[in-house]
Amino acid sequence: MLQNSENRSTDFEVHRNWLAITHSLPVSRWYYENTSEWTLDYPPLFAWFELGLSQAARRFDSDMLLVHNLNYASPPTVLFQRLSVIFTDGVFIYAVRECCRCVREKKGSRDVLSRPSFILSVLLLWNFGLLIVDRILLMGFHLFQSRLYCPLLSDISFLRSQHLQGALLFAVLLNLKHIYLYVAPAYGVYLLRSYCFTQDNKDGSLRWRSFSPLRLLALGGLVLSVCAVSFGPFILMGQLPQVLSRLFPFRRGLCHAYWAPNVWALYNLLDKGVATLGVRLKLLQEAELPRASMTGGLVQESQHAALPSVSPAVTLLCTLLSILPALASIWRRPRGARGFLRCLLICALGSFLFGWHVHEKAVLLAILPLSFLAVESREDAGIFLVLATTGHYSLFPLLFTPAELLIKASLMLMFTVFSFSALRKLHSGRGPLLRPLEVVYLLGLVAVAIGCEVVFPLSPWQQRLPFLPLLVTSVYCAAGVCYSFLRLYASLLRSEDKPKRQ
């Protein structure tokens, strides 16, 4: 399987090209090189990582490190890319091991399926999303896992009250992948509140006089030192604007080629519905409407037909508004590391739901940390089952060939059955994990799967409406992700009210 060159995505060539850029070109040209369409658009610390990785890559096949060798995929190149994915599993296993040590165990429990640490290890190690993204595709996207493991280690540091270690890990993470700007407010507010202020009042509110300037300087110096290592050379060369233009290419459009299951997928559907209704009522002229602008399956700037088009500034504003109540909550009363983790989840999901050009894989950034809360709380377990099942199914289009249907269906079925049975047994005697409407919604995923994966490919609509199954999958899953987001917020607000009632 390591040398089989069939199962690859475009990310394989992306990272081969980035290895070539960082190895073959001077630093001053890294963020200007555009021979390939897959230009370097990650933060500089990731580029330095690729440079180090290229030193090992040249021992496998030095030709992969030539910039002009586009789509180069020799057997040694495939082997190296896939070994780099497998190597990161060691980091993941270590992170899971440390995470499981932070779980509250049941006293006197001998049954392994009743042990929260065992269930959590399975939910993380055998997560369906990671299996298809990094192990089935084995696409050479070797830092996708690392971008998930690093926050896991950072969260563990906070669970152990190791604030500076957690801040360092997150600073490294942010300089590896800038999508974590979305959850940076959660880290920033929590660190400022729980580390820079050393004492609380008896009711848990903030004691302003406990502010420590020395702690703030230590925290800021640590974060700035990581940023200096990452961006420093490019600032000295006067290339910071060019680097930032690569990191934030807003011309890629509101949605990815396959819509992530978020609010904008629902907005796009509403736009299509309003436009269709407007044409039938002769309120809009069909000739003046954009043709398949949002459903062309292309990464590009698009215009909505009937509703106002959404700009990057609007998505940023919506994201900030969606996470502000959660940030205010942990500022007033942090409620420990688990309160931070809940705020982190809301920030991750808020960014996923309202962000600009969100990738469908980003839903894993919420599913993985929610696994920790799911083994400790019955309510969180119910939210996890809805979000994980919905989010994982939304990844089905990543494996789109008929030969892969049985593989992805079997893997998801096994993970889902284990999640439901293990969490139900863990929280037995406390009522059902899911509400009746939640059960109906999840059963509806079965109908969607049969329609999109089995019926549609055999129908005449396949040629006329190729984007239809992607649209149905995205929109249906968007409803489940939005619902999970609202339930997480409701649980956060209820936990905020508890001290007041006491």
Side-chain angles (χ1 to χ4, degrees):
M1 185 174 69
L2 286 174
Q3 297 193 22
N4 184 350
S5 60
E6 294 299 322
N7 294 329
R8 292 200 311 273
S9 78
T10 54
D11 288 313
F12 180 92
E13 171 59 18
V14 169
H15 287 275
R16 186 217 60 81
N17 185 55
W18 292 358
L19 287 169
I21 289 174
T22 55
H23 183 84
S24 304
L25 300 178
V27 176
S28 59
R29 291 181 55 192
W30 285 2
Y31 285 92
Y32 287 93
E33 167 59 37
N34 60 0
T35 300
S36 168
E37 63 179 310
W38 311 116
T39 55
L40 182 58
D41 58 5
Y42 272 30
L45 193 59
F46 184 91
W48 298 120
F49 173 81
E50 290 277 27
L51 176 62
L53 202 61
S54 69
Q55 305 307 312
R58 66 178 181 175
R59 300 182 182 275
F60 284 75
D61 187 348
S62 59
D63 287 342
M64 80 170 82
L65 302 175
L66 301 177
V67 175
H68 63 269
N69 265 358
L70 302 182
N71 298 311
Y72 184 78
S74 66
T77 301
V78 174
L79 177 62
F80 171 76
Q81 289 272 46
R82 293 179 172 178
L83 283 175
S84 68
V85 175
I86 295 173
F87 174 76
T88 60
D89 279 342
V91 181
F92 187 34
I93 293 172
Y94 170 75
V96 171
R97 175 175 173 268
E98 294 301 305
C99 189
C100 290
R101 288 182 171 184
C102 299
V103 175
R104 299 163 181 160
E105 293 285 3
K106 289 183 176 181
K107 294 182 179 180
S109 176
R110 295 184 178 181
D111 186 0
V112 68
L113 288 178
S114 297
R115 293 173 54 190
S117 59
F118 173 78
I119 297 173
L120 177 61
S121 66
V122 176
L123 294 180
L124 294 174
L125 289 172
W126 298 102
N127 179 273
F128 169 77
L130 288 182
L131 283 174
I132 68 168
V133 168
D134 280 327
R135 295 168 178 82
I136 299 299
L137 291 176
L138 283 172
M139 52 178 142
F141 202 8
H142 40 255
L143 215 67
F144 181 76
Q145 288 180 328
S146 300
R147 294 203 319 266
L148 297 173
Y149 309 161
C150 201
L152 191 58
L153 290 171
S154 181
D155 295 342
I156 293 168
S157 298
F158 287 149
L159 288 170
R160 295 173 175 172
S161 298
Q162 298 169 338
H163 295 94
L164 287 180
Q165 179 179 320
L168 175 63
L169 287 170
F170 181 72
V172 171
L173 170 71
L174 190 57
N175 280 273
L176 287 172
K177 179 57 180 173
H178 51 300
I179 194 174
Y180 282 95
L181 279 172
Y182 286 131
V183 295
Y187 280 88
V189 170
Y190 180 76
L191 284 168
L192 183 63
R193 176 65 173 81
S194 298
Y195 180 71
C196 296
F197 288 89
T198 58
Q199 294 180 349
D200 291 337
N201 294 316
K202 292 183 178 180
D203 62 354
S205 60
L206 177 64
R207 179 175 294 181
W208 289 95
R209 292 182 179 180
S210 67
F211 175 71
S212 172
L214 291 179
R215 289 194 171 196
L216 179 62
L217 288 174
L219 185 63
L222 188 66
V223 173
L224 289 176
S225 63
V226 175
C227 295
V229 171
S230 178
F231 284 89
F234 299 93
I235 295 175
L236 293 176
M237 290 185 292
Q239 293 186 3
L240 184 59
Q242 174 63 21
V243 174
L244 294 179
S245 70
R246 285 286 184 86
L247 298 185
F248 303 99
F250 293 114
R251 293 183 179 179
R252 289 184 177 178
L254 174 64
C255 296
H256 199 240
Y258 158 52
W259 300 348
N262 59 14
V263 167
W264 306 125
L266 300 175
Y267 188 82
N268 293 341
L269 179 66
L270 180 61
D271 176 69
K272 288 292 179 183
V274 171
T276 302
L277 182 63
V279 170
R280 291 188 176 181
L281 297 177
K282 297 182 179 180
L283 299 175
L284 297 174
Q285 297 297 323
E286 186 174 6
E288 298 177 359
L289 299 179
R291 293 191 61 82
S293 179
M294 299 298 298
T295 56
L298 301 175
V299 179
Q300 61 182 9
E301 287 186 290
S302 302
Q303 298 295 320
H304 288 94
L307 299 179
S309 294
V310 179
S311 67
V314 170
T315 64
L316 176 60
L317 178 62
C318 291
T319 300
L320 291 176
L321 291 176
S322 71
I323 66 177
L324 275 177
L327 296 175
S329 175
I330 64 168
W331 176 261
R332 287 194 297 269
R333 288 180 176 82
R335 292 182 297 280
R338 285 166 178 78
F340 158 75
L341 188 57
R342 193 174 301 278
C343 178
L344 181 72
L345 283 166
I346 290 175
C347 288
L349 273 182
S351 304
F352 181 81
L353 289 173
F354 297 100
W356 177 268
H357 197 76
V358 174
H359 286 246
E360 65 284 341
K361 296 186 289 288
V363 72
L364 296 177
L365 306 181
I367 292 175
L368 290 179
L370 183 55
S371 305
F372 184 91
L373 296 178
V375 299
E376 293 195 341
S377 162
R378 184 186 67 83
E379 182 179 10
D380 291 325
I383 300 173
F384 171 82
L385 292 176
V386 175
L387 180 62
T389 306
T390 304
H392 286 159
Y393 178 73
S394 73
L395 301 176
F396 261 42
L398 296 179
L399 298 175
F400 51 85
T401 65
E404 295 166 324
L405 175 59
L406 182 60
I407 296 175
K408 63 184 181 183
S410 300
L411 287 174
M412 181 169 175
L413 182 61
M414 287 188 292
F415 180 84
T416 304
V417 169
F418 173 82
S419 300
F420 274 77
S421 59
L423 291 175
R424 185 183 296 114
K425 185 173 183 179
L426 180 64
H427 300 290
S428 60
R430 307 178 194 175
L433 297 180
L434 296 177
R435 302 168 182 176
L437 287 180
E438 294 171 348
V439 174
V440 172
Y441 170 79
L442 292 179
L443 289 176
L445 276 178
V446 179
V448 171
I450 294 174
C452 294
E453 302 289 341
V454 179
V455 177
F456 184 82
L458 302 176
S459 71
W461 290 351
Q462 185 179 20
Q463 300 299 325
R464 294 177 48 244
L465 301 169
F467 194 77
L468 183 59
L470 298 179
L471 184 150
V472 172
T473 299
S474 179
V475 169
Y476 193 86
C477 292
V481 176
C482 290
Y483 173 80
S484 301
F485 177 71
L486 294 176
R487 278 205 63 186
L488 277 170
Y489 243 125
S491 66
L492 177 70
L493 296 177
R494 280 197 297 272
S495 65
E496 186 176 1
D497 288 340
K498 286 180 182 178
K500 298 178 181 180
R501 293 174 184 173
Q502 294 172 352

